[in-house]
Every structure is written in structure tokens, then in C-alpha cells.
Amino acid sequence: MPIKARPTLDEEGGKSGDSTTESQEVCVEQQVPPLSISIRKVLVPLDFSECACHALRYAAAFAGKVGASLVLLHVVEPAVGGDHYLTLSPTLDDTNQQLVEAGRERLETLCQRQVCRQLSCETLVRLGWAASEIVDTARALGADLIIMGTHGRSGLKHVLLGSTAEKVVRQAPCPVLTLRHPGQ
């Protein structure tokens, strides 16, 4: 579709160069290639909250419609002790490993219960800080889309607790779809 350039306004609000000439109405043919969107892999970060489980149900339905595979990700934030914030004691390392294993079991159960059998579904558990692990995993896997729940906190809660979803949206290598639980 041709795009017509309109005369600009001068400082007094009038058209610059009041006489309309062919040079003022420049018609530019702009050829825009069709946008091709291919979603093959959807990353779904889960913290097992109601918001995250709602996002999983949505992601499963979405993946079924577009023929994408799902990757469910749970991030275990490392347990650190007061005096050992730079190094992990053996006790804390064991605790972290137990949390990772518990997360892996919960993800597998969730995958079996809430994801349609026709969908390809993979589960991952990472140890680290949620936002950076989600972004790093999306990049490493070549995810085409991230679908995640958001708690929708605002005000002081948002300032104090931050927003993992907000950080992911700002840093992700692919589009991010955030969903609030309908009841919130």
C-alpha cells in the first residue's frame, strides 16, 4: 500500500511551503515481507503457584494449537546460610540437592497430569536465581516463546519482592507471554 508523506507544519502551525507540489506528496511503495512466525518450543517456568499452574494449562492448550513442544522449568533458588553466603556448607549443599530432586518429582507429576499426552514435554530443574535462569535456559534451548504466570503484585510488595516476570520480559531472547490467574 502506498504511503503518502504529508507536508510538515512550520513553527507558526502552517504548512511549510503552502503550495502543494508533486515533490511534497511523496509516494513511497514499501514492500514488507510477510511476517513468518514459527513457534516450535515453548518454555514454561513454574514455581508451583496457582498462577504458574494456570500458565501451564494455557501453555499446553497453546502448544497443542500450534504444534509446539513444551519445556517445563523449575528454578530452585539456593539456600544460603548467614555466615556462609559466599560458600555453601555441606549441609546447605545437601539441602539444595534435596530441593532440586523434590522439584524434579513435582515437575514430572505436573507434566503427567496437566499436559496432554500428544504433546512433547520435557522437564528441567535448575539451581540459581529465577529470572536469570529462565532467560539463560530460553537462550540455551532456543525457545521461541516463554509463557509464565505473574502474581500481579503492585506497590510496596512489588518494590520489596521484585518481579521475576518483569525481569524476564526485559531480558528474554524471545517473546514472553505473562498471565495472571483469573481469580487475582
Side-chain angles (χ1 to χ4, degrees), residues 46-67:
L46 295 163
D47 63 1
F48 305 114
S49 66
E50 274 301 311
C51 294
C53 290
H54 173 68
L56 173 59
R57 289 187 294 275
Y58 188 94
F62 182 89
K65 293 275 187 200
V66 300

Side-chain angles (χ1 to χ4, degrees), residues 6-25:
R6 297 187 182 184
T8 58
L9 299 179
D10 63 14
E11 291 177 4
E12 286 84 39
K15 289 181 185 175
S16 58
D18 279 333
S19 63
T20 304
T21 65
E22 198 170 318
S23 64
Q24 288 174 328
E25 285 191 18

Side-chain angles (χ1 to χ4, degrees), residues 110-168:
L110 206 55
C111 184
Q112 291 170 3
R113 288 186 184 165
Q114 293 202 12
V115 177
C116 178
R117 299 246 188 262
Q118 288 81 14
L119 290 177
S120 169
C121 183
E122 173 183 351
T123 60
L124 294 173
V125 178
R126 307 255 324 241
L127 180 65
W129 307 112
S132 63
E133 291 298 326
I134 294 167
V135 170
D136 290 348
T137 301
R139 189 171 286 115
L141 295 175
D144 300 302
L145 178 66
I146 299 171
I147 298 179
M148 64 187 298
T150 180
H151 297 280
R153 294 184 184 104
S154 61
L156 187 58
K157 281 185 180 179
H158 177 74
V159 171
L160 294 176
L161 299 174
S163 169
T164 299
E166 182 182 339
K167 292 172 189 166
V168 171

